[in-house]
Amino acid sequence: MTAAAFRLKSGGRVDRMKPLAFTFDGKPYIGLAGDTLASALMANGIGLVGRSFKYHRPRGIYSAGVEEPNALFTIGSGARHEPNMAGPLVQLVQGLEAASQNRWPSLRWDAMAVNQLAAPILTAGFYYKTFMGPTKGAWMVYEPYIRRAAGLGKPTTERDPDRYDARHDFCDVLVIGTGPAGLAAALAAGRAGARTLLVEQDLVAGGRLLSEPLQSAAAVWLTQALGELKTLSQVEVLTHATAFGLYDSNTVGIIERREHQLPDPAKGQPRQVLRIVRARSIIYATGALERPLVFNSNDRPGVMLASGVRSYVNRFAVSPGRRAIIATNNDSAWATAFDLAAAGLDVTVADLRREVAGELRARAKAANIDVLTGTAIGDVSGALGVHGAELIEYRPDAKMAKSTTLENRSADVIAVSGGWSPAVHLTSHTGSKPVWRNDVAGFVPGPLAAGQFAAGAVAGTYDTADCIAAGWTAASQALDGIGSRAAAGHGIALADLRDAVGSAIEPVWEIKGQRKGKAFLDLQNDVTASDVHQAWREGYHSVEHLKRYTTLGMGTDQGKTSNINALAVMAGLRDVTIPLAGTTTFRPPYTPIALGALAGRTIGRHFRPIRRSPLHDWHIANGAEMIEAGPWLRAWYYKWAGLAPETAYIEEMRLVRQTVGLADVSSLGKIDVQGPDAAKFLNRVYVNGFAKLPIGKARYGVMLADDGTVLDDGTTSRLAEHRYFMTTTTAAAADVMSWLEFLLQTAWTDLRVHLTSLTDEWACMAVSGPSSRRSLELSFPGVDVSNAELPYMGVKEFDFDGVPIRLIRLSFSGELAYEVYTPADYGIALWERILEASRPLGIMPYGLEALASLRIEKGHVAGLELDHRNTLHDLGLSKMAANKPFVGKELLNRPVLVDPERWSLVGLECIDPDARLRGGAILFAATDEIKGHGRGYITAVTHSVELNKMIALALYKGGLKHEGDEIVCAFPLRNEQTRARIVSPHFIDPRGERLNA
């Protein structure tokens, strides 16, 4: 195709009264409403649209559909710059900006085209062989340059300004594809009153019927069918939407593109919508993709699929040239020849077959089409476009011997057709293997799941009338399966819709010309037939190995035009049948989809929504500075204690150590455990015993993952004989709930236990400090909270003023402390009551920074100490493990996990009282060279109000056997080295006298 391409004076499905301005590589052009970017470029005589991936060979528009391997563009600019968009799928809109890709400094003069000179060494697998030497580690030198050269279009680094959305849909019948089979199926389902969704990836519905001449019977029926579907209230026709993946239980993922409908997507309307459709039945009417022929220089701009040429002529009223050669091995391409001749082109048909139906010859003669049978294209002349073709005598034999040159014929467009490959991709996504049919020389869907049906070209049926009948039959079967019934007859005059041209085929997979040249299988990735031959010689016989060794089918088109030809060539080389050679694995997505569409609204704050405690509003109104802690927004510190965190938390710690403070701990995970086997269940989950825990008592417990490492810790209270209340750490709440449910559903299905997450149901606050008991007495007059009534680890439930209250006496700070629970709706009222009643004691709220620092002084593990890499031994908790079965027990004592030299918990205190320790600092012995990963690291650090110096918890090789040793804490990011001494991690009250007060 050269500048000879032009807009026809009449015909087509474009609106000649609505011109649209657009730019390509910065130059202005005019197209028409109804155009795609590809058809508009062709109408403007633009033949060169891109460069190939490896050799940077010139490329032109090749097809009119999703199979397009060449015409990839970057659309838009700035933040809306989107690369690798296939031209036939981009609807032309006013002001569209398009740019070619993979070229520099320009499309016509591409410096990287020099790669063609290196073609002899850039063959299959060249990167495996070339970049491994000459020295060890050479790949690390090459890699940055290879990555820089790889790819086609370049993505933007700016934030996407547009909105994406997702929705869940249901239908009785999902019909994928709006060709004759899909339309017939939708009509049958719609007339029966079934809720029907008809999905089409093209900009308008109609499938291959859009490529028929406007006056044809098929085009007339298309108009009638679409008109009737609009009257059926239960039918939704969704265009510009791709069914990209099939999943379990008849679930289909669909991307609906709406950008062409939006004058300004930034105004709030979604640019694309991800639809998750659950269908009672699915009808695949996905059609078939035309295959190329493989001959020398078959990648020149101007070599196109015959079906694409026909679509541009009939649908878009664009002629791709003036002199055309139709190269084919089947009947269907003759329809393109007749339509081109009717459009005024000089047409030659070069059919590889020696025997062609007499009616085809007769029609060709009447249309002044030159017919050459037993003839193939051996080579194509031209550089940036087609100038002509070498026609050779085709003599089929097992070795595909070279054939005699007949003539060199002038042409500016070559339309090729190697037959049709049913689009079985979706039908294969859940594991169904396609089945080869010799009569159509293609794979058709294998056995489908219940409620799924294939109709039309995807099932190997190509005649329009037969497709309509097959679609109606598939819908009838689908309706039967859902308890409905189709009308007795479709009322469609099938005899009038018989195709004048059939699809008889003599498959040919490779044509060898007189001269050496490149015959391409994969146009996008520059994979040639000789690459497949080389892969075969080097032992890569499996089609999956072939794919990866040659990069065949690994581009944005996923090999839609190349896969069948390639595996057929490999089958011939192996001397096996095509089905025995097999196919590569079809996986979602069917066509590329934007990551934004998959994410939808689940980005930023909506990706992991911020969780707020029931007391959040009070904190904001009363001077709290908030901080993100995992998914939660928590009070960091309060301004009553200071205006900066580094001073405020010290005052808050001092408050708790000297009098009493109140902290919001509502973010703790809370799980209700009920059932006759609840005690047995907890006994298996925790390393320590829970079977004999008395009612009204709580117990600290540690649970392990099945690999023997610590999963989480927390406190569980027994409220009744068969009811327990478990608390977990904030960070692991969801993981623990999921883990416990997994165990009940898979490992211990016999246990009668029910779990309910209560994390959001209860507000919780910690009352901590020497005066905490007095604070509760003032807050709940008449409630006995004495040491005798509520001892350490005691639980008490009562109603106060009609509000349920649960008290658990336990301590995270190391002081006398209680956790007070109430339903979330009463959280603020209870919080304010405690503050007001305890005002004489000097109570004030304290935040997360002080809470975490108080636990460091006490030596309680949390945070990085519970990072799923440490064991009971590492954390000094091994004595908790009871002599009973529990999760993780079998792997807990593996030699590597009880090695005395493992990193284990220690305390650190600064030798210089004015020095500073930093979290994450790397630890070294005093005599070590400060280099590498050291002997451990600091997990948590604070200033101790009790010791008046910096202290820390850390993991250190050998742990407390080094107690008293001086070490160096190195922080390379600030080039700091601080001396510290290893001490017990329990900095205050090691005997627990305070919390037992």
Side-chain angles (χ1 to χ4, degrees):
M1 181 176 60
T2 66
F6 59 94
R7 180 82 70 179
L8 297 173
K9 294 181 179 179
S10 62
R13 298 176 180 271
V14 291
D15 189 342
R16 298 172 188 269
M17 301 303 294
K18 293 184 179 179
L20 300 173
F22 71 101
T23 62
F24 174 59
D25 282 348
K27 295 182 180 179
Y29 298 94
I30 299 293
L32 299 176
D35 265 329
T36 63
L37 174 60
S39 65
L41 289 172
M42 191 181 298
N44 281 276
I46 297 174
L48 177 64
V49 297
R51 292 282 177 163
S52 67
F53 176 74
K54 183 165 63 174
Y55 298 128
H56 285 249
R57 287 171 68 98
R59 290 285 191 263
I61 297 166
Y62 196 70
S63 75
V66 297
E67 67 271 32
E68 177 60 48
N70 293 340
L72 302 179
F73 303 94
T74 294
I75 304 300
S77 59
R80 293 199 174 97
H81 160 116
E82 187 170 359
N84 299 330
M85 299 291 289
L89 301 182
V90 177
Q91 181 172 353
L92 190 68
V93 294
Q94 179 67 26
L96 181 75
E97 297 175 76
S100 55
Q101 303 181 154
N102 202 40
R103 81 292 186 273
W104 182 85
S106 70
L107 183 58
R108 180 171 290 271
W109 304 105
D110 180 15
M112 291 300 290
V114 71
N115 285 359
Q116 296 178 60
L117 300 177
I121 64 172
L122 298 180
T123 57
F126 73 94
Y127 33 83
Y128 295 121
K129 306 167 186 174
T130 309
F131 301 114
M132 295 299 108
T135 61
K136 183 179 180 181
W139 172 258
M140 304 305 292
V141 176
Y142 300 130
E143 184 180 24
Y145 300 99
I146 294 172
R147 292 193 180 280
R148 201 171 302 139
L152 293 167
K154 304 298 183 185
T156 181
T157 56
E158 297 182 40
R159 183 181 179 87
D160 190 338
D162 295 324
R163 174 181 167 188
Y164 300 85
D165 215 336
R167 58 181 287 179
H168 291 262
D169 288 326
F170 166 82
C171 62
D172 294 314
V173 181
L174 172 63
V175 183
I176 304 173
T178 63
L183 290 174
L187 285 171
R191 289 177 185 176
R195 186 173 176 179
T196 305
L197 180 62
L198 179 60
V199 179
E200 172 55 57
Q201 64 194 0
D202 204 340
L203 308 175
V204 291
R208 69 176 177 86
L209 298 178
L210 296 170
S211 299
E212 297 290 334
L214 286 178
Q215 296 75 26
S216 67
V220 172
W221 180 78
L222 169 62
T223 301
Q224 294 171 346
L226 292 176
E228 181 179 350
L229 287 173
K230 289 181 180 179
T231 69
L232 300 175
S233 60
Q234 290 292 86
V235 177
E236 179 184 4
V237 180
L238 193 63
T239 58
H240 212 194
T242 301
F244 65 84
L246 172 69
Y247 304 92
D248 293 342
S249 304
N250 281 4
T251 301
V252 177
I254 298 172
I255 290 292
E256 179 188 1
R257 298 172 177 86
R258 298 181 178 178
E259 48 263 75
H260 60 287
Q261 304 171 358
L262 306 176
D264 187 354
K267 293 299 183 183
Q269 293 299 314
R271 180 183 181 190
Q272 296 182 14
V273 177
L274 170 63
R275 291 193 177 207
I276 305 298
V277 179
R278 291 165 177 84
R280 296 178 69 185
S281 60
I282 301 173
I283 298 174
Y284 302 102
T286 49
L289 304 173
E290 194 167 31
R291 293 192 294 259
L293 290 171
V294 182
F295 51 82
N296 285 351
S297 303
N298 62 335
D299 65 324
R300 299 286 185 207
V303 179
M304 301 177 64
L305 291 177
S307 58
V309 170
R310 190 173 189 230
S311 181
Y312 287 114
V313 168
N314 291 329
R315 176 177 173 182
F316 300 106
V318 174
S319 173
R322 300 184 185 276
R323 298 179 306 281
I325 297 176
I326 312 298
T328 184
N329 63 355
N330 66 90
D331 285 355
S332 69
W334 287 66
T336 300
F338 298 142
D339 290 348
L340 289 182
L345 276 74
D346 180 7
V347 180
T348 298
V349 173
D351 199 317
L352 284 80
R353 302 171 296 174
R354 295 190 179 276
E355 300 297 328
V356 176
E359 54 267 33
L360 292 179
R361 288 181 179 273
R363 283 189 63 187
K365 183 176 181 180
N368 293 319
I369 295 173
D370 191 7
V371 175
L372 303 173
T373 57
T375 303
I377 293 181
D379 208 340
V380 176
S381 61
L384 300 181
V386 169
H387 294 163
E390 176 196 31
L391 301 180
I392 63 174
E393 179 186 2
Y394 176 71
R395 295 195 302 269
D397 60 50
K399 296 182 179 179
M400 294 186 180
K402 293 179 181 179
S403 302
T404 305
T405 298
L406 299 175
E407 64 173 291
N408 292 305
R409 181 161 294 202
S410 175
D412 51 24
V413 59
I414 296 175
V416 300
S417 177
W420 295 85
S421 298
V424 299
H425 305 67
L426 279 176
T427 68
S428 304
H429 281 174
T430 54
S432 176
K433 299 292 184 183
V435 177
W436 180 261
R437 273 180 48 184
N438 283 319
D439 60 327
V440 298
F443 285 97
V444 297
L448 298 175
Q452 297 181 14
F453 309 90
V458 69
T461 300
Y462 297 129
D463 180 80
T464 299
D466 291 341
C467 286
I468 292 173
W472 193 274
T473 299
S476 299
Q477 294 171 336
L479 291 168
D480 287 344
I482 62 174
S484 186
R485 185 171 296 279
H490 47 66
I492 302 170
L494 295 181
D496 297 337
L497 295 171
R498 292 286 172 195
D499 291 340
V501 177
S503 57
I505 183 172
E506 181 181 312
V508 175
W509 309 113
E510 184 180 1
I511 302 165
K512 295 184 178 179
Q514 293 288 76
R515 298 183 294 273
K516 289 185 177 181
K518 292 190 178 300
F520 287 90
L521 289 163
D522 187 321
L523 294 170
Q524 190 173 117
N525 278 358
D526 282 334
V527 180
T528 64
S530 62
D531 288 328
V532 176
H533 285 252
Q534 178 183 328
W536 171 72
R537 290 193 302 271
E538 296 182 359
Y540 295 93
H541 296 173
S542 162
V543 292
E544 296 286 7
H545 291 162
L546 171 68
K547 173 180 178 178
R548 287 153 181 81
Y549 189 60
T550 63
T551 71
L552 182 103
M554 295 176 69
T556 62
D557 63 332
Q558 288 292 288
K560 289 180 174 61
T561 59
S562 62
N563 281 346
I564 300 299
N565 283 340
L567 70 88
V569 171
M570 177 58 76
L573 293 169
R574 293 175 55 190
D575 196 23
V576 299
T577 63
I578 291 175
L580 188 60
T583 65
T584 53
T585 302
F586 296 105
R587 299 185 180 91
Y590 174 62
T591 55
I593 55 180
L595 292 177
L598 292 179
R601 298 189 193 184
T602 313
I603 59 173
R605 292 297 188 203
H606 298 288
F607 174 70
R608 189 176 67 177
I610 287 291
R611 302 186 68 180
R612 295 172 173 83
S613 90
L615 304 167
H616 177 83
D617 291 344
W618 190 95
H619 300 319
I620 296 296
N622 288 273
E625 188 72 25
M626 308 304 287
I627 189 173
E628 291 185 29
W632 291 86
L633 197 60
R634 301 184 65 180
W636 186 14
Y637 63 93
Y638 294 86
K639 292 178 181 176
W640 72 261
L643 299 180
E646 56 269 21
T647 56
Y649 88 93
I650 299 295
E651 290 304 312
E652 292 176 357
M653 287 178 69
R654 186 172 288 114
L655 170 79
V656 174
R657 293 290 180 223
Q658 294 177 355
T659 54
V660 61
L662 187 64
D664 180 4
V665 291
S666 300
S667 62
L668 288 173
K670 311 172 195 72
I671 302 172
D672 183 78
V673 184
Q674 294 194 46
D677 296 319
K680 184 185 297 184
F681 171 68
L682 293 172
N683 217 41
R684 295 179 183 180
V685 167
Y686 284 117
V687 302
N688 47 327
F690 274 78
K692 298 181 180 180
L693 180 66
I695 296 172
K697 293 290 289 184
R699 181 167 293 166
Y700 173 73
V702 177
M703 61 180 70
L704 307 183
D706 47 8
D707 64 356
T709 59
V710 174
L711 175 67
D712 195 42
D713 71 343
T715 302
T716 294
S717 308
R718 190 168 195 171
L719 305 180
E721 182 178 1
H722 300 313
R723 185 183 178 199
Y724 293 79
F725 179 66
M726 175 188 290
T727 62
T728 74
T729 62
T730 295
D735 291 341
V736 170
M737 183 70 185
S738 177
W739 173 240
L740 298 182
E741 288 185 323
F742 173 81
L743 291 173
L744 286 175
Q745 293 175 27
T746 60
W748 305 326
T749 57
D750 59 314
L751 293 186
R752 295 166 296 170
V753 178
H754 185 78
L755 306 176
T756 304
S757 174
L758 301 178
T759 301
D760 295 326
E761 304 300 317
W762 290 85
C764 180
M765 50 210 77
V767 183
S768 308
S771 300
S772 56
R773 181 183 291 117
R774 181 57 183 156
S775 172
L776 294 182
E777 290 172 342
L778 293 172
S779 302
F780 306 115
V783 177
D784 188 355
V785 292
S786 66
N787 194 48
E789 176 66 18
L790 191 60
Y792 181 61
M793 301 305 279
V795 180
K796 188 179 185 70
E797 291 188 294
F798 57 92
D799 282 359
F800 193 84
D801 289 344
V803 177
I805 304 292
R806 180 178 298 163
L807 290 179
I808 305 177
R809 183 177 167 186
L810 54 85
S811 177
F812 192 59
S813 63
E815 299 294 336
L816 174 66
Y818 303 81
E819 288 181 356
V820 186
Y821 295 83
T822 194
D825 290 345
Y826 298 103
I828 291 179
L830 178 61
W831 175 274
E832 291 181 335
R833 179 180 182 84
I834 294 174
L835 287 175
E836 180 61 27
S838 305
R839 183 185 297 177
L841 304 176
I843 192 171
M844 294 295 287
Y846 66 99
L848 182 62
E849 191 70 25
L851 183 75
S853 297
L854 290 165
R855 73 93 182 175
I856 295 172
E857 285 189 322
K858 180 58 181 175
H860 282 152
V861 294
L864 288 179
E865 295 94 53
L866 302 179
D867 66 355
H868 298 189
R869 293 186 297 175
N870 300 315
T871 69
L872 290 173
H873 307 289
D874 299 338
L875 301 179
L877 302 174
S878 56
K879 292 182 180 179
M880 291 182 62
N883 185 22
K884 64 178 181 65
F886 56 82
V887 174
K889 181 176 182 178
E890 298 305 318
L891 298 181
L892 172 62
N893 292 310
R894 285 176 290 168
V896 68
L897 297 186
V898 294
D899 184 344
E901 291 302 307
R902 278 180 63 85
W903 291 5
S904 55
L905 188 69
V906 298
L908 300 178
E909 61 180 18
C910 272
I911 294 175
D912 181 352
D914 296 325
R916 180 183 183 124
L917 296 175
R918 294 188 185 273
I922 305 170
L923 307 181
F924 298 88
T927 57
D928 288 345
E929 180 184 2
I930 309 302
K931 180 180 180 182
H933 297 291
R935 297 172 180 253
Y937 69 99
I938 292 178
T939 59
V941 63
T942 186
H943 177 84
S944 171
V945 295
E946 294 267 321
L947 304 179
N948 195 30
K949 63 172 65 175
M950 294 291 289
I951 62 172
L953 296 178
L955 294 168
Y956 190 77
K957 186 176 181 180
L960 286 175
K961 76 176 185 179
H962 295 288
E963 188 171 2
D965 289 0
E966 181 179 326
I967 64 169
V968 176
C969 308
F971 197 76
L973 292 178
R974 293 180 178 268
N975 196 28
E976 292 178 355
Q977 294 181 17
T978 304
R979 294 182 304 126
R981 180 176 291 105
I982 295 177
V983 296
S984 167
H986 307 296
F987 295 96
I988 66 164
D989 193 27
R991 297 180 181 178
E993 294 170 349
R994 298 186 189 183
L995 53 85
N996 281 291

